[in-house]
Amino acid sequence: MNDRPAPSQSRMSSVALPSSPQARSSPETSSQEAFEIVREGLSYASRPGHGRSLVGADVDWEVVQREARRHRVLPLFLRRLAARAEGALPSAVQAAAQEHRRAIRIRNTFLAKELGRIARAFREANVPALALKGPVLAKAAFGDIAARHSVDVDVVIPRERFSEAGPLLRGIGYEHAAKRAGLTGWRKAFSLYLDGQWEFTRGASFTLDLHTRIMPPGYAFPVDLTPFWERSRPVQLTSDVTVPGFAPADRVLVLAHHGVKNQWRALRHVADVAGVVSGEPDLDWSLLRERARALGAARTTRLALYLAHDLLGVDLPSHVLDWVQDRGIPRLGARMESYLRNRHQKDHLTYRERVHLQLGTKDTLWGQLRYGAHSVLQHVRSHLL
C-alpha cells in the first residue's frame, strides 16, 4: 500500500489542461481556490448544473490540474467534471482529459491482467489471496478501473503461507525487490513483521506488494485473514479477469486505516472512502459499527466517515452521523481538513500533529501503546538494517 510514484506516473499525470481564455487575462487561480474546485468536482452533494458553473468560471486549468495531481485524484476529478459539465467543458480541456483517461486505462488494464495472473497462481496453489486497492478499488468504488491511478498491486495472503509465495511467484517471473533481496534470517523476519509486507518485481514495469497482514502491527487489524476471506466478494476487472476483493464493510475499515496510516495527506484517501460508501446503498451500518468496535477501530472509522461526509458530501444515515460526530471527532476532522486545504504550503504534518492523529484515532490505551511500541521498533530497525 505504498504511495510511491510509478515510473510512468509523471508521464500519465502531466496532461496539459489549458487555461480558459478568461483566466489568461485574470489573476491566476490560487491553490486554495483550485482545491475548492477539485473538492466541488468530487463532491456527492454538488448541485444540478454545478459542473457547468465551475467550468464557466475564470479558471486557470493548469493550477487546478496541479492541485488535483497533488491530491492524487486527477482521473476521478476529470471524469466527474466531464459528466457534470453537460458539454460545457472547453474542447481543449475535454480532449486532454480524454487522453489522460486513455493513458490511465491502458496502465490499469495491464495491472488488472497481471493481478489476474497472480490471483490464478495463488488459487491453483490453494493459497487464499485478497486484492487490496489498485484496479480492484477503482472498480468497486467508482465502477471503472480508469477512475483511479494505480502505481502497483497489493495482495494479502495468510502470514503462515508466506514461505510458499517466493517459489510460486518466481514461477511466474517475479523476484524479490532490490531493497529486500539482501535481507535474510532475523533481518528478513524482523522486516516482514514490522512492515507486514514484502515487495516483488517483474522487470522494470511491475511491482507487487505482498502483504502478510492487512495493516502493520501498530494498527488494529488482526493477523488472521480467515474472516475477511470468508466474507470476500468477486470483483470483475475486465471481461476475463475476476479476483477476490473485500466485502463493503471490510473495505471501509481498510480504507479508514489506510487514511490514518498515510496521515490523510491527500484528498484521494477521502475520495476512496466516499466512493465505497456512496456505491453501496445497502451498506450494513450496524455491521460496520460492530466490526469497528470489535477491532478497537471505532475512532479511526468515524474520522474517515466524517471526512467523507464533511468534505465530499457523502450522505450518511442520521444515526451514523450522530455516531460519527460524537466524542471529539469533529475537532480532529477539522484539523485534517485544514491540512488538506493547505497542502500546497505544508507537505507533511508536524511530528506533534502526527502523534496527535495516531493516538487520537486509537480507541484504547492498549491501542495507543501498541502503536507507540511499533514506532519504537521502526526506529530501532532503521539503525540495525
Side-chain angles (χ1 to χ4, degrees):
M1 293 185 183
N2 293 338
D3 283 336
R4 58 180 179 273
S8 58
Q9 183 175 3
S10 60
R11 181 176 72 254
M12 292 168 55
S13 299
S14 60
V15 178
L17 299 182
S19 304
S20 65
Q22 298 91 337
R24 292 192 189 103
S25 60
S26 62
E28 182 182 271
T29 303
S30 71
S31 293
Q32 286 191 325
E33 290 170 335
F35 174 86
E36 291 304 321
I37 291 171
V38 172
R39 185 185 67 81
E40 287 283 353
L42 296 174
S43 177
Y44 290 83
S46 290
R47 303 179 299 278
H50 189 53
R52 294 179 64 90
S53 66
L54 287 177
V55 171
D58 289 347
V59 173
D60 186 328
W61 287 101
E62 292 179 4
V63 178
V64 174
Q65 177 193 218
R66 185 167 64 240
E67 192 66 14
R69 282 205 316 271
R70 189 196 321 278
H71 287 277
R72 305 177 67 211
V73 291
L74 185 59
L76 182 61
F77 170 69
L78 292 176
R79 178 175 180 264
R80 293 176 69 91
L81 185 63
R84 292 175 176 178
E86 300 171 359
L89 201 62
S91 59
V93 176
Q94 186 169 344
Q98 289 173 349
E99 175 60 23
H100 181 75
R101 288 198 298 271
R102 186 186 72 84
I104 295 291
R105 188 173 301 282
I106 290 172
R107 169 67 179 172
N108 283 4
T109 298
F110 166 70
L111 292 179
K113 298 286 188 182
E114 196 64 23
L115 179 57
R117 290 180 67 238
I118 295 166
R120 183 167 57 252
F122 281 123
R123 183 172 62 250
E124 291 174 352
N126 199 31
V127 177
L130 281 172
L132 294 162
K133 298 175 63 216
V136 171
L137 177 55
K139 187 62 180 286
F142 309 115
D144 183 0
I145 64 172
R148 188 179 187 275
H149 181 263
S150 299
V151 174
D152 51 24
V153 163
D154 298 80
V155 174
V156 58
I157 65 172
R159 184 171 62 177
E160 63 272 16
R161 307 295 297 272
F162 178 76
S163 61
E164 303 171 50
L168 189 154
L169 290 170
R170 280 196 296 273
I172 57 172
Y174 283 83
E175 60 185 3
H176 295 297
K179 71 175 185 178
R180 302 287 192 180
L183 295 178
T184 59
W186 71 266
R187 288 180 174 83
K188 179 178 181 179
F190 189 38
S191 237
L192 182 61
Y193 168 75
L194 285 182
D195 296 337
Q197 69 181 57
W198 201 262
E199 294 79 22
F200 294 83
T201 58
R202 187 169 73 83
S205 60
F206 191 85
T207 299
L208 164 67
D209 288 343
L210 187 66
H211 298 253
T212 57
R213 54 188 303 153
I214 296 171
M215 291 294 294
Y219 296 86
F221 270 86
V223 175
D224 186 11
L225 183 63
T226 303
F228 299 94
W229 172 255
E230 291 175 344
R231 295 191 294 258
S232 65
R233 293 186 180 180
V235 180
Q236 184 173 2
L237 301 179
T238 66
S239 60
D240 58 348
V241 176
T242 299
V243 299
F246 284 93
D250 290 336
R251 183 171 281 117
V252 172
L253 293 172
V254 171
L255 293 175
H257 280 81
H258 188 65
V260 169
K261 177 175 175 284
N262 287 281
Q263 303 163 29
W264 294 106
R265 67 167 60 96
L267 199 54
R268 165 158 143 164
H269 301 306
V270 183
D272 287 343
V273 175
V276 171
V277 172
S278 295
E280 292 288 342
D282 298 324
L283 184 65
D284 189 331
W285 291 103
S286 296
L287 182 64
L288 174 61
R289 291 179 61 174
E290 174 56 30
R291 289 182 187 164
R293 184 201 62 76
L295 285 174
R299 292 183 63 82
T300 294
T301 306
R302 288 164 54 210
L303 176 59
L305 294 173
Y306 177 91
L307 293 173
H309 171 76
D310 205 55
L311 278 174
L312 298 185
V314 169
D315 189 33
L316 299 176
S318 58
H319 68 280
V320 175
L321 195 57
D322 289 342
W323 178 63
V324 164
Q325 294 179 334
D326 192 23
R327 299 185 182 180
I329 292 300
R331 182 180 302 174
L332 185 56
R335 290 173 181 164
M336 293 301 100
E337 290 181 11
S338 176
Y339 171 50
L340 286 168
R341 284 189 164 91
N342 292 282
R343 279 282 281 106
H344 61 288
Q345 296 176 327
K346 188 173 183 177
D347 193 42
H348 299 288
L349 294 174
T350 65
Y351 175 76
R352 181 175 181 179
E353 288 169 334
R354 293 197 303 271
V355 170
H356 187 273
L357 170 64
Q358 295 296 340
L359 298 186
T361 50
K362 306 299 181 284
D363 288 4
T364 63
L365 176 61
W366 164 241
Q368 294 175 337
L369 292 173
R370 177 180 54 207
Y371 177 80
H374 180 251
S375 298
V376 169
L377 288 175
Q378 290 278 26
H379 286 293
V380 171
R381 191 259 299 269
S382 68
H383 292 288
L384 291 178
L385 303 182

